[in-house]
Amino acid sequence: MPSWSEEHGVLAPGATIGIVGGGQLGRMMALSAKYMGFRVGVLDPTEDCPTAQVADFQVVADYDDHEAIRELASRSDVLTYEFENVDADALDAVRDLAAIPQGTDLLRVTQNRVAEKTFINDHGVATAPWEAVNNHAELEDALGRIGYPAVLKTCEGGYDGHGQIVLREPADLQDVWPDDAFPPAILEGFVDFDYEASILVSGNGGDYVTFPVVRNIHRNNILHMTLAPAQIDDAIAARARDLALALADGFTLAGTLAIELFVTRDGQVIVNELAPRPHNSGHYTIEACDFDQFDLHVRGIAGWPLQEPTLLSPAVMANVLGQHVAPTRAALPDHPEWHVHDYGKAEVKHNRKMGHITVLTDDPEQAMADLEASGCWDDVRVE
């Protein structure tokens, strides 16, 4: 039986999905794919990485190893990726061996902040005011128009606050890179937001569905907790859904796209960043929705039909970073309501995402308070 229906563009169970990147997102993609009957391969430089523990095979190599990507493609019917920093040219070079339903335009746009902001704005969606800057003179000119406070970010790379410099006053310019080491960068004005939020949208290259808008709480530039759904009025939810569908259609999206948002005090919805993959803030969907973000990612890249996901229960998701591993494990016997996810990472490090815990609840605010009261997250206590 063929693994791919040329007539319908549908991947059949028994086919192989190759994942570039072997972290927790790849692990959860693989688990969804396995339930659907697919085989899974992974490319990652770390042997027995989290995805490899649940996959059928691993190619152990760096992400930019073109021969290794070619090997993964030769053993796969479809390729996908679990993070942005993938060599798009290397993927383009193996299209003769495996389908890449997400394409590489999505990667190229989300790998560069200027390209990303331009794409978002070109599709009629608002962002914070921004300008591209490449040296101190351009930065000071841009600050004259955007004003303080602002944040300076490298155009490429950076996550969880890395590659970012907050500029609150002229004295902070001393923290900026010297001109001879100034990378391509973007200056963004601050947004006076009420709260941070996100929405997930999934597609199969033609049809698109969205998950509920959720509220996100960050500490030290790392997602701490997600409350699902966000307590917002219908008009704000509709605006978020509309912009998600517009961006998905702009990409002819296959798989899951995460859109990080600011909701302002006057009800505006502003896009902060895009992630061309499932997202930390969508982990609650595993228990709380009839189809989770990984299910719809796999279905989307396989060309399967998509149904609008249903939130079966409100929920709270809390990240378990390295410093939270010992206290959460010690607290487990007292919390039967915790849905525990451990990512199988070999080394525990401070601020490294090691797992997450989800609680299904009728009262997310109380569930958040109960999680905090456990004492496991005292270093990032929500005030």
Side-chain angles (χ1 to χ4, degrees):
M1 178 182 296
S3 59
W4 184 274
S5 167
E6 294 290 348
E7 179 182 359
H8 300 292
V10 174
L11 195 66
T16 299
I17 296 174
I19 303 173
V20 181
Q24 64 267 21
L25 297 177
R27 179 188 183 95
M28 289 180 272
M29 279 183 205
L31 289 169
S32 285
K34 296 292 282 183
Y35 275 122
M36 295 179 210
F38 295 112
R39 294 187 178 277
V40 176
V42 59
L43 169 66
D44 194 274
T46 303
E47 191 169 0
D48 196 41
C49 61
T51 306
Q53 294 167 19
V54 299
D56 295 280
F57 67 89
Q58 179 181 5
V59 177
V60 181
D62 290 333
Y63 303 124
D64 59 356
D65 186 325
H66 286 223
E67 286 303 313
I69 290 177
R70 194 160 188 84
E71 179 186 349
L72 179 68
S74 70
R75 300 173 67 180
S76 305
D77 296 285
V78 164
L79 292 185
T80 186
Y81 37 83
E82 67 134 23
F83 66 111
E84 294 90 308
N85 296 321
V86 178
D87 189 326
D89 290 338
L91 290 182
D92 282 335
V94 297
R95 287 177 180 271
D96 59 323
L97 298 175
I100 307 175
Q102 292 163 279
T104 51
D105 289 345
L106 175 63
L107 262 185
R108 288 187 169 92
V109 167
T110 55
Q111 284 174 343
N112 183 285
R113 288 188 169 95
V114 168
E116 181 178 88
K117 299 291 187 188
T118 301
F119 180 91
I120 294 167
N121 294 157
D122 284 351
H123 285 79
V125 177
T127 60
W130 64 273
E131 290 192 28
V133 294
N134 296 286
N135 52 53
H136 275 261
E138 291 182 4
L139 172 59
E140 292 185 23
D141 285 347
L143 281 166
R145 289 181 288 272
I146 291 175
Y148 292 95
V151 59
L152 180 65
K153 302 178 181 180
T154 56
C155 278
E156 298 183 358
Y159 64 95
D160 291 344
H162 299 287
Q164 300 185 17
I165 301 171
V166 176
L167 304 175
R168 299 186 183 279
E169 57 186 28
D172 292 331
L173 291 171
Q174 67 184 354
D175 298 326
V176 175
W177 318 284
D179 272 352
D180 60 0
F182 203 113
I186 184 171
L187 182 74
E188 297 179 18
F190 267 33
V191 174
D192 183 21
F193 60 86
D194 189 16
Y195 56 88
E196 294 177 86
S198 59
I199 185 169
L200 302 167
V201 56
S202 298
N204 59 10
D207 296 323
Y208 311 107
V209 298
T210 61
F211 287 86
V213 179
V214 298
R215 177 159 66 96
N216 297 322
I217 298 167
H218 289 80
R219 290 293 179 268
N220 303 318
N221 294 305
I222 301 173
L223 181 63
H224 173 43
M225 288 191 185
T226 293
L227 281 70
Q231 296 302 305
I232 56 177
D233 65 41
D234 291 343
I236 294 175
R239 282 196 287 275
R241 184 173 189 275
D242 287 346
L243 71 84
L245 294 174
L247 295 174
D249 191 51
F251 286 118
T252 316
L253 179 68
T256 294
L257 171 72
I259 305 170
E260 297 181 49
L261 307 168
F262 295 128
V263 179
T264 66
R265 301 183 196 284
D266 60 357
Q268 295 184 65
V269 181
I270 295 174
V271 172
N272 180 26
E273 291 184 348
L274 307 178
R277 49 169 173 75
H279 192 258
N280 195 171
S281 67
H283 292 345
Y284 77 94
T285 62
I286 296 172
E287 283 83 23
C289 295
D290 57 346
F291 290 95
D292 69 47
Q293 64 168 340
F294 302 99
D295 296 334
L296 293 193
H297 180 79
V298 173
R299 291 178 71 98
I301 63 172
W304 288 20
L306 304 181
Q307 175 172 290
E308 195 78 19
T310 299
L311 183 69
L312 303 175
S313 169
V316 176
M317 186 283 303
N319 266 332
V320 176
L321 306 181
Q323 61 269 33
H324 308 139
V325 170
T328 54
R329 288 180 179 176
L332 279 178
D334 300 321
H335 293 282
E337 76 280 11
W338 286 4
H339 293 265
V340 177
H341 295 256
D342 187 287
Y343 300 152
K345 295 182 179 180
E347 186 177 359
V348 177
K349 295 181 181 179
H350 185 85
N351 279 352
R352 188 184 195 190
K353 294 171 184 173
M354 301 298 298
H356 70 269
I357 288 171
T358 300
V359 176
L360 302 182
T361 175
D362 292 329
D363 188 344
E365 294 288 342
Q366 183 59 54
M368 179 176 69
D370 291 343
L371 285 162
E372 296 292 354
S374 73
C376 298
W377 290 271
D378 278 353
D379 63 314
V380 289
R381 181 171 294 281
V382 178
E383 297 178 358

